[in-house]
Amino acid sequence: MTSEQIITITNQLNYILNTDFNNCKDKISEVCKDTYRNISKIISDIEVFDFDKITLNIKKNNRPKSADMIHIQDNIIYLIEFKNISLLINSASSKDFKQKLKNEIKLKGIESLITIHKIINKMIDESIKFNSILDLNIYYYLIANEDQENNISENKENRSRVNMNEDCARLTTDYKNRYFKDIKISTFESFEKYFISKYFN
């Protein structure tokens, strides 16, 4: 796609979200909630697009996996996945869980792209192929818990980031520049401070 096409499609997608899917918004405290523990790491009434709801609207049967939230700002499509868990998992007993977590996060990211493609095909241009949407500025953000025990001796700047072992660090490199223009991992605190406060206030 040309830069003009990227801007046009992104703007059209943003318009569609705010018209056809405006009923798929929810409070950020609900979108990021850990439903198993009934815990929300961000307490706010700010409304955001619940991408799980959008995905369900697009395909009710055999629904693809999806990121929790989608937001479009400054020609960037943000896919955001919340995980109420620390990514610093080093024990041998946690190896299987670690691999399952990594696979789940990757699957949610890739299948979210499938949903975006379906929306574009259905509502913007049915001739656009899946590979073409990879030209869009799609960022995949993973928001996870900070590992407090391992941050005690680190400076304040480092404490605002999630500490990761080598396996989890690969989450940011396996698909970057292949499927996503950027992949980042940050804490709930940093996300609320630098993303929610910036774009929703």
Side-chain angles (χ1 to χ4, degrees):
M1 287 188 194
T2 65
S3 57
E4 289 80 11
Q5 287 174 314
I6 289 171
I7 292 171
T8 299
I9 289 175
T10 304
N11 287 337
Q12 288 176 313
L13 182 61
N14 194 33
Y15 177 78
I16 287 167
L17 288 181
N18 285 284
T19 52
D20 295 70
F21 296 106
N22 197 48
N23 62 332
C24 293
K25 283 185 174 181
D26 207 341
K27 296 175 182 176
I28 182 67
S29 54
E30 291 298 316
V31 175
C32 76
K33 181 180 282 186
D34 179 344
T35 54
Y36 294 105
R37 299 182 181 90
N38 197 31
I39 295 172
S40 185
K41 304 287 286 188
I42 299 173
I43 308 301
S44 173
D45 290 336
I46 290 172
E47 290 197 336
V48 298
F49 284 105
D50 185 328
F51 198 57
D52 289 327
K53 289 182 180 179
I54 291 172
T55 304
L56 185 60
N57 255 292
I58 292 294
K59 190 169 175 60
K60 299 189 184 301
N61 298 320
N62 299 316
R63 180 167 65 99
K65 296 283 186 182
S66 54
D68 294 314
M69 174 181 161
I70 185 170
H71 179 71
I72 299 178
Q73 186 84 36
D74 302 327
N75 199 38
I76 297 171
I77 301 165
Y78 294 95
L79 292 170
I80 299 154
E81 175 66 17
F82 299 101
K83 286 294 179 191
N84 183 26
I85 189 169
S86 170
L87 296 184
L88 191 65
I89 309 167
N90 289 312
S91 66
S93 62
S94 66
K95 184 178 179 180
D96 289 343
F97 173 78
K98 202 166 46 174
Q99 187 60 48
K100 182 179 178 182
L101 175 65
K102 187 167 70 169
N103 290 342
E104 179 191 5
I105 291 167
K106 288 182 177 181
L107 185 62
K108 284 191 170 195
I110 296 301
E111 294 201 351
S112 291
L113 297 180
I114 294 172
T115 298
I116 290 174
H117 180 240
K118 285 184 180 298
I119 294 171
I120 290 172
N121 268 178
K122 184 178 180 180
M123 301 180 172
I124 299 175
D125 186 345
E126 63 180 12
S127 70
I128 292 177
K129 305 298 184 185
F130 178 80
N131 282 349
S132 295
I133 73 158
L134 303 182
D135 292 334
L136 299 174
N137 296 314
I138 303 176
Y139 290 15
Y140 188 30
Y141 282 10
L142 173 62
I143 315 303
N145 287 343
E146 188 175 25
D147 189 81
Q148 299 292 341
E149 181 181 347
N150 288 277
N151 282 333
I152 292 172
S153 62
E154 296 185 14
N155 63 39
K156 186 176 181 180
E157 181 182 356
N158 285 339
R159 286 200 302 272
S160 71
R161 301 197 300 264
V162 173
N163 290 284
M164 300 168 290
N165 59 22
E166 185 178 351
D167 284 341
C168 289
R170 289 196 190 105
L171 291 171
T172 64
T173 58
D174 285 356
Y175 291 157
K176 185 174 180 179
N177 297 322
R178 183 180 176 190
Y179 295 106
F180 305 100
K181 290 295 189 291
D182 193 20
I183 300 178
K184 288 186 180 178
I185 300 178
S186 70
T187 64
F188 282 88
E189 182 182 33
S190 293
F191 178 74
E192 187 172 12
K193 183 177 180 181
Y194 297 109
F195 192 94
I196 296 297
S197 296
K198 180 179 179 180
Y199 293 136
F200 292 91
N201 287 333

